[in-house]
Amino acid sequence: IVLHIGLNKAASSTFQYGFNLNRQILQDIGWYYPVNGLVGDMHLNISAQIGNSPNFRQNVSGVEDLLEEIMNVDCESILLSSEYFSIFNENQIAKVYETFCFDYDVEIIVYLRNQLSWLYSEWAQHIKSAKTRQGFADWLDYAIVKKIWELV
């Protein structure tokens, strides 16, 4: 199993769209992108269930269905993708291990982005979703102060 864990704002949605769109081409060359656990193009329901997140959707297939699906597939590699795996704490990572690593070899892939580029993209997303109206410099200062004080 190859587990693509993001990061957020590092082209994960683009990768996931491509994986889902080209599912048959991937399967023809030995890679399988499972259907179970998909929300849109990513395996959000898998990461939500393993991470015990309130984002888990009862009406969407989960880990048990996914494991059954991949047991019945004749492909060399299974590809799972959800950037939400990248924010897991140690206990949630242990649950990933328990879920997959006893029966499968697991490789983790994470795509990193230049930090300044990532910050700018994060700010732009906040602007787009109306979470802030601040300019980049003001938002950045706010984010740093907030981050420091969250520790208290």
Side-chain angles (χ1 to χ4, degrees):
I1 293 177
V2 174
L3 185 59
H4 170 251
I5 65 169
L7 296 173
N8 191 20
K9 306 308 301 164
S12 295
S13 297
T14 301
F15 290 139
Q16 293 155 351
Y17 175 76
F19 298 152
N20 204 18
L21 180 68
N22 296 296
R23 178 186 311 281
Q24 188 58 55
I25 294 169
L26 287 169
Q27 193 167 347
D28 291 345
I29 60 171
W31 286 85
Y32 187 71
Y33 196 62
V35 175
N36 282 297
L38 283 178
V39 175
D41 295 319
M42 79 164 125
H43 294 100
L44 175 62
N45 227 40
I46 302 306
S47 58
Q49 184 177 3
I50 292 172
N52 199 28
S53 166
N55 292 326
F56 178 70
R57 300 178 185 185
Q58 295 290 338
N59 62 333
V60 176
S61 56
V63 171
E64 288 183 17
D65 294 318
L66 171 73
L67 292 172
E68 185 176 331
E69 178 184 3
I70 63 179
M71 280 189 340
N72 295 311
V73 169
D74 186 26
C75 279
E76 294 177 31
S77 300
I78 307 297
L79 177 59
L80 301 175
S81 181
S82 174
E83 57 267 32
Y84 293 100
F85 284 119
S86 70
I87 60 173
F88 274 19
N89 62 36
E90 289 180 21
N91 292 332
Q92 293 165 317
I93 292 169
K95 184 98 188 263
V96 170
Y97 183 86
E98 291 170 16
T99 303
F100 298 117
C101 294
F102 289 116
D103 296 319
Y104 302 96
D105 291 328
V106 176
E107 292 181 46
I108 306 296
I109 295 190
V110 60
Y111 184 80
L112 303 175
R113 183 175 182 172
N114 173 284
Q115 290 177 330
L116 186 55
S117 172
W118 178 86
L119 275 172
Y120 188 79
S121 179
E122 185 72 15
W123 167 76
Q125 187 67 37
H126 280 254
I127 291 286
K128 194 163 85 172
S129 63
K131 290 182 180 176
T132 188
R133 291 180 174 266
Q134 294 177 303
F136 180 65
D138 292 334
W139 176 83
L140 183 59
D141 287 344
Y142 171 76
I144 291 169
V145 170
K146 181 177 182 249
K147 184 80 171 164
I148 291 168
W149 280 100
E150 282 178 344
L151 299 174
V152 175

